[in-house]
Amino acid sequence: MEVKEALWKKCLEKIEEQILPENYTTWFSPTYPRAFDEGLMTIAVPNQFYRKCLIENYRDLIETTLKSVAEKSILVDFCIESEILAQTEHINEAPEVPVTEPIESSISSVSSSLNPKYDFSNFVVGSSNQFAHAAALAVASHPAMAYNPLFLYGAVGLGKTHLLHAIGNKIRENNPDSRVRYISAESFTVDLIESIKRDKMPSFRKRYRPLDVLLVDDIQFIAGKERTQEEFFYTFNALYESHKQLVISSDRYPKDIHNMEERLRSRFESGLVADINPPDLETKVAILYKKADFHKKTIPQDVAIFIAGNIKSNIRELEGFLLRVIAYSSFTHRKLDLELTEEVLKDFTLDKNKHFTISNIIKFVAAYYGLKVSDIKSKRRTRDISIPRQIAMFLCREHTKSSLPEIGRQFGGKDHTTVIFSHKKISKLIKENKELETSIQEIINLIEKG
């Protein structure tokens, strides 16, 4: 055990004796020492919210405890875990390896970048993600035999990254010698650029092509980057032809990724393509119970339903809201109930709904498509205006309590049957056109932010 791990372990043991068990579990269990140098210990935390709370409420306690354990003053800083993973993917470049050495040594020093907290046991399965989950589990159990490549797609914060890490962790659990690497497409691009600048492309290729499993997140990032696409194409082929497993994620279906080479899109579609949709209310409630259990907290059903009902799709936001409520309850020593939850989340949930007015929806849709409000309300029927108009009517029907005639009136005196037609048409198009579905979700997000 390194010095920093030993110090942090002793520090945690003393802190655990001084604070409530639920506070210790919530705020200290997910932490670990990242670095220790010249009297400064850097502690890795899951996200910015953890960092803020630990600085404001526990930094003095941590530094005092470290001083008693180490018998000297040690300052504490906090870094965010996800940012560390992104950096280590490309900063810690592998050293040059002599040709006479076996290939394995060229990648043995490269971190897999897998997050051990993401596994299949803590992934909540519902109707919105059960197909993707089953496919991921099959790949993890039989890499390069079940589905290769596996392409997962869905909006931000729905669990794609969780499944990628879970696949990698399961494969490593079954076969510790497997050479597995998780990397974001952005980090792959940065790694490539640095390797070109330093004239170290052979070293770059040795970091990827001998792998047994390559997990690539957010592949849409390389759209429009010709050199990166070319290198990824050759990396993909090298691994695929060697019967190695590839798992790729994106925020959209392969054909909907603009400025992506056709040869890459066709390879993404050559295996299994599985989508992840926004979770339904029941799944969101189950996720909240699972997260609460992790923090050793019991949340009432009405609290879970309230939080789930106020988050439209993003699971990260769902967890963030729960953590905020738990933190507030812990720091104020108040019972975690619906009254407290509504109080804590009033600025994050209830106010969102006030932005969904007919006039506001028309304004945001017009701005999104580069139109004037008068264009949306006009009688013009050109496609560049009629589709945005129908989207606006669809959103008014979905997100306001206005009657059909009232919606029609505010669109320049349209008949209520026009509103019905528009709602049916857009509802159908969303199921067929993932790009349109993404655009509508982006508009909703803009309206919610006001």
Side-chain angles (χ1 to χ4, degrees):
M1 184 181 294
E2 292 186 21
V3 174
K4 64 178 184 292
E5 279 84 8
L7 272 176
W8 187 238
K9 185 174 182 291
K10 290 179 181 178
C11 178
L12 289 182
E13 287 171 354
K14 287 187 172 292
I15 289 175
E16 190 173 10
E17 296 172 357
Q18 301 177 59
I19 63 176
L20 294 172
E22 58 265 31
N23 290 358
Y24 178 83
T25 301
T26 298
W27 300 109
F28 289 93
S29 293
T31 65
Y32 64 90
R34 174 63 190 171
F36 180 45
D37 184 39
E38 296 183 357
L40 174 66
M41 180 173 285
T42 304
I43 305 300
V45 297
N47 54 47
Q48 186 63 36
F49 185 59
Y50 265 89
R51 184 177 184 275
K52 184 173 184 293
C53 287
L54 285 169
I55 288 173
E56 292 178 355
N57 299 282
Y58 292 109
R59 177 183 250 166
D60 290 344
L61 173 63
I62 294 170
E63 290 182 348
T64 301
T65 308
L66 278 173
K67 184 177 180 180
S68 70
V69 168
E71 298 182 346
K72 64 178 180 179
S73 293
I74 297 176
L75 298 177
V76 172
D77 194 12
F78 301 93
C79 60
I80 298 170
E81 187 178 47
S82 59
E83 295 175 0
I84 297 168
L85 291 175
Q87 291 169 4
T88 55
E89 283 165 0
H90 54 78
I91 289 177
N92 296 326
E93 184 173 289
E96 289 291 340
V97 181
V99 176
T100 54
E101 290 189 15
I103 277 178
E104 284 78 7
S105 64
S106 69
I107 62 170
S108 61
S109 63
V110 177
S111 168
S112 68
S113 293
L114 291 171
N115 188 332
K117 291 190 296 184
Y118 290 137
D119 57 40
F120 287 108
S121 68
N122 56 24
F123 186 87
V124 178
V125 183
S127 59
S128 60
N129 60 24
Q130 60 185 6
F131 178 53
H133 173 267
L137 193 55
V139 165
S141 302
H142 304 287
M145 295 175 63
Y147 308 109
N148 197 24
L150 173 61
F151 190 96
L152 304 174
Y153 75 96
V156 173
L158 297 185
K160 301 185 299 296
T161 300
H162 188 139
L163 284 178
L164 258 63
H165 283 283
I167 290 170
N169 286 321
K170 183 71 174 177
I171 291 173
R172 289 286 292 270
E173 180 187 326
N174 293 339
N175 184 0
D177 294 328
S178 291
R179 295 165 295 187
V180 181
R181 188 172 189 188
Y182 165 88
I183 190 169
S184 68
E186 180 180 7
S187 295
F188 181 88
T189 302
V190 172
D191 193 6
L192 174 63
I193 292 170
E194 289 299 312
S195 299
I196 293 172
K197 279 168 54 179
R198 299 176 186 179
D199 195 23
K200 291 187 176 181
M201 283 306 294
S203 177
F204 171 87
R205 292 176 181 125
K206 286 179 182 178
R207 284 199 290 280
Y208 295 96
R209 300 190 185 181
L211 292 170
D212 295 311
V213 182
L214 178 59
L215 311 158
V216 184
D217 213 353
D218 294 323
I219 196 65
Q220 74 277 357
F221 181 85
I222 71 171
K225 298 175 174 65
E226 294 181 7
R227 183 70 178 85
T228 305
Q229 289 186 47
E230 180 183 5
E231 193 58 44
F232 187 76
F233 173 78
Y234 292 129
T235 299
F236 183 104
N237 277 357
L239 291 171
Y240 184 79
E241 289 170 5
S242 301
H243 304 290
K244 307 301 183 183
Q245 180 68 52
L246 293 115
V247 184
I248 299 163
S249 84
S250 173
D251 63 354
R252 65 203 70 180
Y253 190 79
K255 282 185 178 176
D256 295 328
I257 305 176
H258 297 305
N259 300 317
M260 184 72 75
E261 290 182 10
E262 183 58 37
R263 60 180 181 172
L264 273 176
R265 280 204 294 253
S266 65
R267 277 161 177 75
F268 296 159
E269 295 175 2
S270 65
L272 179 66
V273 178
D275 63 335
I276 303 179
N277 294 306
D280 54 26
L281 181 68
E282 292 78 10
T283 303
K284 287 189 282 188
V285 169
I287 290 169
L288 285 168
Y289 284 143
K290 176 81 78 173
K291 298 295 183 183
D293 185 58
F294 172 78
H295 293 291
K296 292 183 167 51
K297 283 284 187 180
T298 300
I299 57 173
Q301 185 180 42
D302 56 354
V303 169
I305 291 174
F306 175 82
I307 298 175
N310 277 282
I311 299 296
K312 299 298 180 186
S313 59
N314 195 317
I315 295 171
R316 290 192 194 122
E317 281 190 15
L318 194 71
E319 183 176 4
F321 278 22
L322 175 64
L323 188 59
R324 189 175 293 273
V325 172
I326 290 174
Y328 193 84
S329 170
S330 170
F331 293 143
T332 61
H333 305 291
R334 287 175 56 186
K335 182 181 179 182
L336 202 166
D337 56 16
L338 184 58
E339 181 183 358
L340 178 136
T341 303
E342 290 176 340
E343 179 184 332
V344 174
L345 302 182
K346 64 182 179 182
D347 295 330
F348 302 91
T349 55
L350 299 181
D351 284 351
K352 284 184 178 181
N353 299 326
K354 74 178 184 182
H355 299 302
F356 283 96
T357 62
I358 295 175
S359 59
N360 224 23
I361 290 170
I362 293 174
K363 181 181 76 173
F364 275 94
V365 171
Y368 186 85
Y369 287 101
L371 301 172
K372 298 176 181 177
V373 169
S374 58
D375 293 329
I376 300 290
K377 294 183 177 183
S378 72
K379 295 182 179 181
R380 293 166 59 190
R381 295 186 178 181
T382 55
R383 182 174 175 79
D384 62 324
I385 293 176
S386 63
I387 294 296
R389 180 188 296 132
Q390 289 165 348
I391 289 171
M393 288 184 176
F394 167 83
L395 290 174
C396 288
R397 184 73 174 129
E398 288 285 314
H399 293 275
T400 74
K401 295 180 180 180
S402 302
S403 65
L404 293 170
E406 175 60 21
I407 294 173
R409 276 196 297 272
Q410 294 206 39
F411 278 80
K414 304 292 189 297
D415 189 80
H416 74 279
T417 56
T418 304
V419 180
I420 294 173
F421 172 79
S422 298
H423 184 268
K424 286 183 177 179
K425 180 177 179 180
I426 298 302
S427 297
K428 182 182 178 183
L429 285 176
I430 285 174
K431 296 176 182 177
E432 302 170 349
N433 188 329
K434 291 296 177 183
E435 185 176 354
L436 177 64
E437 181 184 23
T438 301
S439 295
I440 291 175
Q441 187 57 53
E442 287 174 355
I443 294 170
I444 291 171
N445 293 340
L446 289 170
I447 295 172
E448 286 180 343
K449 291 175 183 176

